[in-house]
Amino acid sequence: MRQYSADLTPPWKKPQPAPEVAAEPGLVVEEPGTGFCGAVIRCEAGTVTLEDRFGKHRVFPLQPRGFLLEGRVVTLVRPSSGPARPTRTASGSVAVPGARARVARAGRIYVEGRHDAELVEKVWGDDLRIEGVVVEYLEGVDDLPSIVESFGPGPDARLGVLVDHLVPGSKEWRIAQAVTSEHALVVGHPYIDIWEAVKPASVGITGWPRVPRGQDWKTGVCEALGWRVANTGEAWKRILDSVRSYKDLEPQLLGRVEELIDFVTAPS
């Protein structure tokens, strides 16, 4: 006697198998039942934790056909064991594994010196490459108004400038006030030098020394801390090596750099 299957569902009505995708940190998916969309930050036995762009976390079970990836139904599975990928960039953004750098924008971010540029690159470099933002340094801001004029900022080529020691009444403040283009944004931090924007505890010191007015600030810092005075480049390397992420920087610098990135990348 011929045996028949008890399943009488037509083949075209049966759910099709969904591709399996490893729930690697940084993968952005949507849970269709709730509409929650976020990046994978943790995958444990039977569950996955997502974080949305507001920092909210939700835990979901790893069910077949349980998520949408770029609008396509997928089954998330626990990644195979191997070297862990970072879930965050140094700036605190969700890491995007395998992301390619964007073609450079016409807009730019200018900083005062090489040390400023190196610090911005170390903390925000991954974000800047994805956004296509180039950072250049000026070696001072005395000629900033003419530099901005020569750049010619516009709706599709915005210019952001980060200035040291930008406090009311300072020389830097007066120079910044002379930049009036609506497509240029000049912001700054209160520190005499970018060194001071690194938290003292991260460098292994109790605080940044007060240097008498008229003395070279970097030289005075090295003298007070017992570092080799003749080589401020060596001192800067020591400071830069102590920076691992945004947590090692003062909030007054963090907010200003984020503000510049948002300004330069805003839709025209």
Side-chain angles (χ1 to χ4, degrees), residues 68-267:
L68 297 177
L69 175 62
E70 297 179 349
R72 186 168 54 107
V73 177
V74 297
T75 297
L76 289 188
V77 295
R78 195 174 184 183
S80 58
S81 59
R85 295 182 180 179
T87 59
R88 296 282 178 178
T89 65
S91 71
S93 301
V94 175
V96 184
R100 294 183 179 181
R102 176 175 174 166
V103 175
R105 296 173 182 266
R108 291 287 188 274
I109 290 178
Y110 286 168
V111 296
E112 283 206 46
R114 181 171 60 85
H115 292 179
D116 305 68
E118 289 175 347
L119 184 61
V120 170
E121 160 62 27
K122 183 160 188 180
V123 177
W124 288 274
D126 289 336
D127 306 302
L128 293 169
R129 279 183 285 277
I130 289 177
E131 295 290 350
V133 177
V134 175
V135 175
E136 300 178 8
Y137 63 90
L138 302 172
E139 292 293 2
V141 294
D142 288 352
D143 298 321
L144 183 60
S146 61
I147 291 171
V148 173
E149 184 177 356
S150 297
F151 180 85
D156 297 316
R158 297 187 178 194
L159 178 63
V161 184
L162 180 69
V163 177
D164 297 342
H165 196 231
L166 191 63
V167 295
S170 67
K171 177 190 75 171
E172 294 82 2
W173 178 268
R174 292 190 294 272
I175 292 172
Q177 294 298 301
V179 176
T180 57
S181 171
E182 64 178 309
H183 304 298
L185 175 65
V186 182
V187 300
H189 55 76
Y191 308 112
I192 295 174
D193 190 274
I194 198 69
W195 290 18
E196 248 188 323
V198 180
K199 291 180 178 178
S202 299
V203 185
I205 59 178
T206 56
W208 289 105
R210 296 180 66 88
V211 178
R213 184 182 294 273
Q215 182 180 7
D216 178 74
W217 189 84
K218 291 177 181 175
T219 300
V221 166
C222 290
E223 286 180 346
L225 295 177
W227 296 351
R228 288 208 311 166
V229 175
N231 194 340
T232 55
E234 182 180 281
W236 169 242
K237 184 179 185 305
R238 176 176 184 167
I239 296 167
L240 188 62
D241 287 346
S242 71
V243 176
R244 298 167 187 82
S245 75
Y246 72 98
K247 297 178 181 179
D248 296 304
L249 303 181
E250 298 288 359
Q252 291 91 331
L253 175 66
L254 293 174
R256 301 296 73 75
V257 175
E258 297 285 352
E259 186 178 356
L260 290 178
I261 294 175
D262 290 343
F263 178 78
V264 172
T265 59

